[in-house]
Amino acid sequence: MAGKVWFITGVSRGFGRMWALAALERGDKVAATARDTTTLTDLRERFGDAMLPLELDVTDRDGDFSCVAAAFAHFGRLDVVVNNAGYGQLGFIEELSEGEVRDQMEANFFGAVWITQAALPFMRKQRSGHIIQISSVAGLFTLGDAGLYCASKFALEGFSDALASEIEPFGIHVTLVEPGLFATDFAGSSAKRPDQMPHYARGHQESAAALADILGEPNDPEPTAAALLKVVDAPRPPRRVIFDSKMVPVIKNFYQHRIAVWEEWKDVT
Ligand code: NAP
């Protein structure tokens, strides 16, 4: 179904930009947020009033609420909210500063909570809507050297899963999108890394090898746009969807191992 109104965070580049473009190209309307709105100028020039540029750092709670309200005021409805803005804070847990830990949760978890809370009153009144939370395969299993990033996506998964049951009676859907590794700026200029502690030198080498082995070569992000459109157009969208088919056996293996350990320890349980 065409003619949807979207609110997408982090449209300056990467997935957010691709998905905003795909929605606009098929005739949908998009409220697009970016920390630097000059990154949105070309989209605004090309799509005019169908595209509303909004300046937003998602860690700014007041800004989150006012941008969602501005999008509703401009378009008169809100069909799809995509909590996409985020980044990967790498590093072993002991290496991370308080600021790095808090900043990661502010962007990847709290930002999504505030945007979701801001959108719900409009969607409840409409009795329709779809909240898309951009999680990660790192919201399903953990990777050494990415523990904090995993924690932020596990937190996103936890609140979104519970939320889905709460808002189903109002006709509002929640989908957690769980991508594997894609060639956006995510693992490049966007990734943050603390100073490494010498004690973990070997651990870092092993984690890097494990990460490369598990995640494989970065995927081309382009096909994710068509996949996302399929999800938002589904009459009964999934609660979770993985983007990257080679991740499915890895995730199944992770859960099978978890169940096997519970079985092994059932006497103690
Ligand atoms: P990207 O190319 O680095 O883009 C990240 C986007 O998030 C940029 O628009 C960035 O804005 C924005 N952003 C980061 N922190 C923000 C903040 N505090 N406030 C507002 N915007 C902020 O990476 P991407 O792959 O498109 O990442 C998008 C989402 O996909 C993230 O949530 C990421 O965790 C998730 N994801 C990515 C992968 C992957 O392999 N690519 C895999 C799994 C999940 P600036 O331009 O201002 O920095």
Side-chain angles (χ1 to χ4, degrees):
M1 191 184 84
K4 290 182 192 296
V5 173
W6 300 58
F7 181 96
I8 310 177
T9 63
V11 179
S12 62
R13 53 192 168 134
F15 283 145
R17 187 179 171 85
M18 252 168 229
W19 298 337
L21 190 60
L24 288 162
E25 277 177 340
R26 75 169 191 173
D28 288 359
K29 299 184 168 94
V30 177
T33 83
R35 287 190 281 202
D36 173 3
T37 49
T38 61
T39 58
L40 307 174
T41 307
D42 61 326
L43 292 179
R44 173 70 177 176
E45 280 169 2
R46 186 169 159 204
F47 296 101
D49 275 351
M51 144 80 191
L52 179 69
L54 295 165
E55 188 180 319
L56 180 66
D57 183 320
V58 295
T59 64
D60 169 9
R61 185 174 182 275
D62 290 343
D64 292 332
F65 278 82
S66 61
C67 280
V68 170
F72 185 83
H74 183 80
F75 291 121
R77 49 183 304 112
L78 214 49
D79 299 310
V80 184
V81 167
V82 186
N83 277 310
N84 164 71
Y87 70 95
Q89 174 65 58
L90 302 173
F92 277 40
I93 296 300
E94 193 185 346
E95 294 171 337
L96 296 163
S97 69
E98 179 183 351
E100 285 164 334
V101 174
R102 291 192 187 278
D103 288 352
Q104 177 74 120
M105 297 306 286
E106 286 289 348
N108 291 10
F109 171 65
F110 286 108
V113 175
W114 309 141
I115 295 279
T116 300
Q117 285 187 333
L120 284 175
F122 299 111
M123 290 182 161
R124 263 193 302 101
K125 275 183 212 129
Q126 285 173 186
R127 299 197 78 80
S128 68
H130 194 169
I131 296 170
I132 307 278
Q133 312 288 36
I134 306 308
S135 177
S136 168
V137 291
L140 295 170
F141 64 86
T142 56
L143 296 155
D145 201 26
L148 181 62
Y149 177 65
C150 293
S152 73
K153 295 298 187 180
F154 268 65
L156 178 70
E157 295 255 345
F159 100 79
S160 302
D161 211 15
L163 171 76
S165 330
E166 293 170 3
I167 60 181
E168 206 177 73
F170 300 98
I172 309 169
H173 302 291
V174 178
T175 298
L176 284 148
V177 172
E178 294 143 339
L181 185 62
F182 283 82
T184 60
D185 288 339
F186 175 78
S189 58
S190 295
K192 297 193 178 167
R193 181 171 273 297
D195 292 336
Q196 290 188 4
M197 293 172 72
H199 326 275
Y200 290 120
R202 183 153 170 216
H204 275 293
Q205 276 175 7
E206 286 169 2
S207 291
L211 228 83
D213 183 47
I214 292 168
L215 298 177
E217 285 299 308
N219 299 288
D220 173 7
E222 199 67 44
T224 64
L228 188 69
L229 293 179
K230 208 165 182 179
V231 169
V232 303
D233 288 342
R236 286 187 302 115
R239 179 82 59 97
R240 291 189 163 77
V241 62
I242 295 164
F243 281 3
D244 183 352
S245 54
K246 68 180 180 302
M247 284 296 105
V248 175
V250 176
I251 293 156
K252 281 187 178 165
N253 195 34
F254 179 87
Y255 281 97
Q256 273 159 5
H257 176 72
R258 187 176 277 196
I259 291 166
V261 173
W262 283 329
E263 289 293 335
E264 191 187 328
W265 284 85
K266 67 172 180 260
D267 291 351
V268 176
T269 307

